[in-house]
């Protein structure tokens, strides 16, 4: 059994940062499943495939020429050999991702690819349905939340750091729309697994959240 820690939660809940820190702390692999959906959305756009053309999207998902190269602080994301790490973080691409992600056959097409990330000594998987669908058998599942306002503030900080322009009110609105779509969709809706540990990070630092998760992992003899 390869141990897996799943970290699910809404957009900008801090999953990405926390998942990377936990993976680095344990020396485990990392799966950023959102990046897969983002790359697929971008690939579809570039190939001129409509976001509701299920059959062609499934084809693209099955053949997706994506490669993740794990580095210390970062993972390079290559699409057809091109580094798209920066582009896929744009809000526009998040929107594309969220649209292709509502299609069950597309999710099925990405399922095996995600499972394949479970390699020794262990995996930290971040996304929306890691604990409920993809790694239902994981020994530790985290559901990370924070208020929409706090998440928008964090997102604004990240965007500004990267030199993108953004506006807080618009970001709050975008986050609410995306939450709504992710939670209301018929397939793999965003929700905590029944056996998930819920952590509200509105008032917590990244360090505190990471510590809490490592404690939970220790309590399950995963470390
Ligand atoms: O986590 P991130 O913001 O990168 O994800 C982008 C979009 O991909 C999400 O809004 C969601 O619709 C979709 N997604 C998903 N299932 C996952 C990860 C992401 O549906 N496991």
């Amino acid at each position: 059994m390869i141990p897996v820690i799943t970290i699910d939660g809404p957009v900008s809940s801090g999953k990405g940062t926390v998942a990377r820190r936990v993976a680095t702390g344990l020396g485990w692999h990392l799966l950023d499943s959102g990046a897969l959906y983002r790359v697929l959305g971008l690939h579809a756009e570039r190939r001129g495939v409509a976001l509701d053309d299920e059959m062609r999207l499934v084809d693209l998902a099955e053949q997706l020429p994506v490669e993740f190269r794990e580095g210390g602080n970062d993972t390079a994301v290559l699409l057809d050999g091109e580094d798209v790490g920066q582009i896929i973080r744009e809000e526009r691409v998040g929107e594309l991702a969220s649209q292709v992600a509502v299609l069950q056959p597309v999710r099925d097409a990405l399922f095996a690819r995600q499972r394949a990330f479970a390699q020794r000594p262990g995996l930290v998987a971040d996304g929306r349905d890691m604990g409920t669908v993809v790694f239902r058998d994981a020994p530790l599942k985290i559901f990370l939340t924070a208020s929409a306002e706090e998440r928008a503030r964090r997102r604004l900080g990240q965007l500004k750091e990267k030199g993108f322009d953004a506006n807080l009110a618009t970001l709050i609105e975008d986050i609410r729309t995306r939450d709504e779509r992710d939670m209301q969709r018929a397939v793999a809706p965003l929700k905590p697994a029944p056996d998930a540990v819920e952590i509200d990070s509105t008032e917590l630092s990244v360090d505190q959240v990471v510590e809490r998760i490592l404690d939970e992992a220790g309590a399950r003899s995963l470390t």
Side-chain angles (χ1 to χ4, degrees):
M1 265 289 277
I2 297 165
V4 176
I5 297 176
T6 60
I7 305 182
D8 290 304
V11 63
S12 297
S13 55
K15 289 174 300 176
T17 309
V18 165
R20 177 170 301 280
R21 291 270 303 271
V22 172
T24 306
L26 294 172
W28 289 10
H29 299 282
L30 179 67
L31 164 62
D32 171 3
S33 60
L36 264 183
Y37 288 94
R38 286 171 182 267
V39 168
L40 179 60
L42 180 67
H43 193 46
E45 185 189 56
R46 288 180 168 182
R47 292 288 174 97
V49 172
L51 296 181
D52 59 354
D53 187 340
E54 219 168 77
M55 267 171 56
R56 289 190 66 201
L57 286 172
V58 166
D59 269 354
L60 288 188
E62 280 170 350
Q63 321 280 335
L64 198 63
V66 66
E67 195 193 326
F68 293 92
R69 283 200 198 138
E70 284 182 37
N73 290 323
D74 210 359
T75 301
V77 184
L78 306 176
L79 172 59
D80 259 334
E82 176 196 340
D83 186 348
V84 293
Q86 186 101 345
I87 304 170
I88 60 164
R89 293 296 146 210
E90 291 175 12
E91 292 301 307
R92 185 183 65 78
V93 180
E95 188 55 36
L96 298 175
S98 179
Q99 288 184 47
V100 297
V102 300
L103 305 170
Q104 182 67 58
V106 168
R107 305 192 71 87
D108 293 345
L110 294 177
F111 182 84
R113 199 187 279 260
Q114 295 177 79
R115 292 283 306 183
F117 276 79
Q119 303 271 343
R120 293 206 179 284
L123 174 71
V124 179
D126 125 41
R128 302 291 187 289
D129 63 340
M130 298 295 98
T132 49
V133 178
V134 182
F135 298 104
R136 214 176 288 177
D137 47 351
L140 174 57
K141 301 176 181 178
I142 304 293
F143 195 78
L144 192 60
T145 58
S147 70
E149 290 75 12
E150 175 60 21
R151 287 185 283 134
R153 267 192 293 278
R154 291 177 188 172
R155 188 88 189 104
L156 185 65
Q158 286 174 352
L159 289 171
K160 286 203 163 148
E161 218 168 82
K162 291 180 180 162
F164 294 121
D165 197 20
N167 158 294
L168 188 64
T170 314
L171 280 178
I172 295 178
E173 199 48 43
D174 286 353
I175 280 179
R176 292 223 168 97
T177 309
R178 187 111 57 92
D179 278 358
E180 183 77 10
R181 185 179 305 135
D182 288 349
M183 290 189 296
Q184 300 304 323
R185 71 185 177 201
V187 292
L190 172 66
K191 60 163 193 246
D195 50 347
V197 176
E198 291 193 42
I199 302 177
D200 181 342
S201 74
T202 307
E203 310 270 327
L204 299 179
S205 67
V206 171
D207 282 346
Q208 287 172 314
V209 176
V210 170
E211 202 172 306
R212 173 84 201 281
I213 296 174
L214 292 176
D215 283 350
E216 296 284 350
R220 287 164 179 75
S221 307
L222 297 177
T223 57

